[in-house]
Amino acid sequence: MTAAPQIDVRDLNSVRRAARALGARPGQRAKVDGGTTEVLLGEDWVRPAEDGAAAPRRARARRGLAALQTSPLARKIVTFNLVGLCLLVSGMLYLAPGRDNLVYQRGSGLVSETELIADVFEAQLPAGAPVNLITGDGIDPVATLSGLDLSNGIEVMVFDTAGSLVTRGRALQGTPDVAGLEGRSAPTVISDFVNRVSTGIAGWLSPDGTAALASPLDVATDLAGRALRDGTAVETRTGDGGTVLFVATPILQGGDPVGAIAVMSRAGEIDALLRQEREQVLQMFLVGILISVALSLMLASTIANPIAELAAAAEAGRDRNARKMSPDRIRIPDLSARPDEIGRLSAALRGMVAALYERIETNEQFAADVAHEIKNPLASLRSAVGTLEIVKKEEQRQKMLQLIEHDLQRLDRLVTDISSASRLDSELVREDEAPFDLLKMLGNLNDFLGEEARTKGIEFIADLPDQSIIVSGLEGRLAQVFVNLITNAISFCEDGDAIRIWARRRQNRVLIVVEDTGPGIPEEALTKIFQRFYSERPEKQFGNNSGLGLAISKQIVEAHGGVIWAENIRPTDADPTSGPLGARFVVGLPV
């Protein structure tokens, strides 16, 4: 048979712990020895069909990519990712590094082709005989040009030394496919659309439009004149029809120019190649947009949705019934398994909410204890006042008046201690810690309280090291702790007893011990004496203490990162059932 847990009905936390020990959650029935018993507190009651975590689970199940449509954070993530990608592609299209390469490669090929045509003319020139391309003396330019197999849409013009056009010929559009060198022509839908948009914008910004390309004959004539003077010359012109390359080279006879060959590339040839290249870039851009949007939405769903859940859970805390939830039914989603900031945020919020509920329960318990403690002297006062009205003897009336004065002093002491305890938390947070000499502070207390102990016939022994010990904290509050411990020891000791206070440093901590040879502490009270309003005192001292001193001391020590505990003094070989030799209180503080 399982032993039932001990329950202190005055302590709400004790009842809750007992309910959990029986395997039940707050508001559920707990099994005891094969049966059921109901351990149910009013503030723990919830509607049986309602689960505190059910609503967040349902909301999480409904929340998906569709919820990102209303998420500003998701929109920002998608926008920022797309902006970067768009800037990259726009820079590539604007700078167009492939265009310069295409122009250079096509220009180099056209120069070679032009010089090859000039070599054909030079091979047919008679050696040493005068040549006139206009009259056909020495060579027939028309027949020679007609015999050439021109390709890829180029146009060839022959000029004499005076810059006059002799003849011209145009190749067929395009180039026949060669095995192993087949050209690939794919539709450029995206590139054409972008070009139309950019052209429309450019036309709107510049109503005059793009300047038309000068007459090809005029450009070729000017370039042929430069070739006759300086050798092979190349020029690039851009107009409505696209980019056109002009190359001119002289026809030499014995090193002297007798004419010039000018070749003009097909209009728009380079632009067509550039559109093919841009089409591939834009296709990859569209694919990149789709992938970027998909990845951005996935990333946003792992960030925005959990944050939305945390925000919704925090907003639910404003509901009027939120204070009735226990830490076991916290609505904050548990995302602490995530190894990122959201996981840390979830763990921090859950810890904060749990601490808040614990603080609320502590305040509720404190309020209940305060009401209980105040009722006792009030009941005594009510009884004394009622008795005073019917008592006739002066001696009994004086006794009632003394009882009333004692209860008033008890109430005053209780209210003062309660006020001090209620302000303690805020003062510990608000006041700034500072380093101070712990042994100097203990020495001052020993001088004052030691004299009080000696007046009662109690031996007071202080065993403090010579070297100072510096600690950081609130000196006044820590002094309050040791005043409570020493005055408690004095109150429990009688004439002939002894009190000893000593301190020792242990690595990064210092231990301060207050021990006495009084009656000791009942074993069952060792775990309770630090609870608020708990007091284990002789009958003659009833009402002289509020029971808050040790609870306040424990709170102050723990706020400084220390520990405090109580134990009875026993010889190492003493019978465990024998009475203690006294009580010992130990305070540990970091240094």
Side-chain angles (χ1 to χ4, degrees):
M1 180 179 294
T2 304
Q6 295 182 353
I7 302 176
D8 184 356
V9 295
R10 298 173 301 172
D11 188 350
L12 299 179
N13 291 325
S14 174
V15 178
R16 290 191 178 94
R17 287 193 296 269
R20 296 188 187 101
L22 295 175
R25 294 179 50 146
Q28 295 179 339
R29 296 180 183 273
K31 294 182 179 180
V32 178
D33 298 335
T36 60
T37 182
E38 187 159 352
V39 182
L40 187 64
L41 299 180
E43 62 269 25
D44 286 335
W45 187 87
V46 293
R47 199 177 298 274
E50 185 69 21
D51 183 5
R57 284 198 298 267
R58 289 193 298 268
R60 194 178 303 118
R62 292 193 302 266
R63 186 177 293 116
L65 293 179
L68 297 177
Q69 298 176 359
T70 59
S71 172
L73 180 59
R75 289 196 294 268
K76 289 180 181 178
I77 292 176
V78 174
T79 301
F80 290 158
N81 287 339
L82 291 182
V83 165
L85 184 59
C86 291
L87 289 177
L88 176 63
V89 174
S90 300
M92 293 177 59
L93 296 177
Y94 176 76
L95 296 177
R99 182 180 184 279
D100 296 336
N101 293 332
L102 287 175
V103 171
Y104 175 77
Q105 293 174 8
R106 182 60 181 135
S108 299
L110 200 61
V111 167
S112 300
E113 196 171 355
T114 304
E115 291 178 347
L116 184 61
I117 294 174
D119 290 342
V120 172
F121 274 82
E122 291 173 358
Q124 296 186 16
L125 294 177
V131 175
N132 190 323
L133 298 181
I134 292 292
T135 60
D137 294 341
I139 186 173
D140 185 359
V142 176
T144 303
L145 184 60
S146 300
L148 295 177
D149 185 13
L150 303 178
S151 62
N152 205 23
I154 64 173
E155 183 175 355
V156 180
M157 290 169 277
V158 181
F159 295 90
D160 65 358
T161 55
S164 301
L165 177 64
V166 177
T167 185
R168 63 194 303 176
R170 182 184 297 273
L172 298 175
Q173 295 291 333
T175 302
D177 291 335
V178 179
L181 193 64
E182 294 84 1
R184 292 180 296 176
S185 177
T188 56
V189 179
I190 304 176
S191 181
D192 292 342
F193 173 76
V194 173
N195 286 337
R196 285 196 296 269
V197 172
S198 60
T199 302
I201 295 176
W204 179 69
L205 296 177
S206 178
D208 297 336
T210 305
L213 183 67
S215 170
L217 180 59
D218 294 339
V219 177
T221 301
D222 179 69
L223 195 62
R226 289 163 49 190
L228 291 172
R229 296 190 305 271
D230 306 323
T232 303
V234 180
E235 188 169 341
T236 303
R237 292 295 181 94
T238 302
D240 294 334
T243 302
V244 179
L245 283 176
F246 292 88
V247 178
T249 189
I251 302 174
L252 301 177
Q253 183 187 33
D256 298 325
V258 295
I261 299 294
V263 177
M264 181 182 72
S265 67
R266 176 165 53 91
E269 176 186 4
I270 295 177
D271 299 277
L273 296 174
L274 186 60
R275 281 196 300 273
Q276 292 283 348
E277 181 179 328
R278 285 183 174 178
E279 184 73 15
Q280 296 177 358
V281 173
L282 291 174
Q283 289 176 355
M284 291 302 299
F285 172 60
L286 292 180
V287 174
I289 285 181
L290 296 177
I291 295 176
S292 178
V293 170
L295 294 178
S296 298
L297 291 177
M298 293 176 60
L299 175 62
S301 66
T302 63
I303 297 176
N305 285 346
I307 292 180
E309 292 178 13
L310 295 176
E315 291 169 353
R318 297 179 300 184
D319 296 344
R320 60 185 181 90
N321 292 325
R323 62 182 181 86
K324 297 182 180 180
M325 294 187 300
S326 69
D328 290 338
R329 290 178 281 113
I330 291 177
R331 293 182 181 176
I332 300 296
D334 186 6
L335 306 175
S336 55
R338 293 178 53 136
D340 54 16
E341 288 77 3
I342 294 179
R344 289 175 53 195
L345 177 61
S346 173
L349 285 177
R350 288 174 61 84
M352 180 185 67
V353 172
L356 178 61
Y357 284 135
E358 183 179 354
R359 181 62 181 274
I360 291 174
E361 292 178 355
T362 302
N363 290 341
E364 291 176 351
Q365 180 65 47
F366 182 66
D369 292 341
V370 167
H372 176 74
E373 292 297 322
I374 290 180
K375 282 182 180 180
N376 289 336
L378 285 177
S380 178
L381 275 172
R382 186 182 300 110
S383 175
V385 171
T387 305
L388 186 62
E389 294 177 353
I390 61 175
V391 168
K392 303 300 182 182
K393 293 182 180 182
E394 184 63 25
E395 180 182 351
Q396 292 178 345
R397 292 178 63 85
Q398 290 298 325
K399 186 179 294 185
M400 289 297 103
L401 290 174
Q402 291 176 1
L403 180 59
I404 291 174
E405 183 180 2
H406 178 270
D407 288 336
L408 288 175
Q409 292 176 354
R410 181 182 173 189
L411 273 176
D412 180 69
R413 187 183 307 108
L414 184 61
V415 171
T416 301
D417 289 345
I418 291 172
S419 176
S420 176
S422 63
R423 294 195 310 265
L424 183 59
D425 278 342
S426 60
E427 292 181 1
L428 289 175
V429 173
R430 186 171 58 249
E431 296 180 12
D432 296 328
E433 296 184 355
F436 66 93
D437 189 346
L438 178 65
L439 298 185
K440 182 179 179 180
M441 182 263 286
L442 292 176
N444 295 333
L445 295 180
N446 293 339
D447 293 340
F448 174 71
L449 298 175
E451 188 62 29
E452 178 182 348
R454 295 185 187 96
T455 58
K456 295 180 59 177
I458 302 171
E459 183 180 4
F460 191 90
I461 304 170
D463 182 11
L464 302 177
D466 297 330
Q467 188 176 3
S468 62
I469 300 177
I470 305 299
V471 298
S472 180
L474 305 178
E475 183 176 2
R477 286 299 182 180
L478 288 175
Q480 181 182 352
V481 172
F482 297 110
V483 168
N484 286 338
L485 297 180
I486 296 173
T487 53
N488 275 351
I490 294 175
S491 66
F492 279 97
C493 289
E494 298 179 352
D495 188 6
D497 286 330
I499 297 174
R500 177 172 177 249
I501 177 171
W502 56 275
R504 296 291 184 272
R505 181 165 181 168
R506 297 287 187 269
Q507 296 180 353
N508 62 341
R509 302 187 73 84
V510 58
L511 297 180
I512 305 98
V513 181
V514 178
E515 50 192 16
D516 61 67
T517 58
I521 306 171
E523 293 297 327
E524 65 274 9
L526 283 174
T527 58
K528 301 179 181 179
I529 58 175
F530 292 103
Q531 296 178 4
R532 286 173 171 171
F533 301 108
Y534 184 85
S535 181
E536 189 75 29
R537 289 185 173 273
E539 186 68 25
K540 63 180 181 179
Q541 297 184 13
F542 176 76
N544 293 336
N545 298 86
S546 64
L548 287 172
L550 290 179
I552 292 175
S553 299
K554 184 174 185 293
Q555 189 175 358
I556 294 173
V557 171
E558 291 180 348
H560 285 79
V563 293
I564 182 172
W565 72 88
E567 59 189 18
N568 284 316
I569 302 175
R570 297 180 186 276
T572 55
D573 56 350
D575 184 359
T577 61
S578 62
L581 301 180
R584 177 185 294 125
F585 286 83
V586 183
V587 176
L589 295 173
V591 293

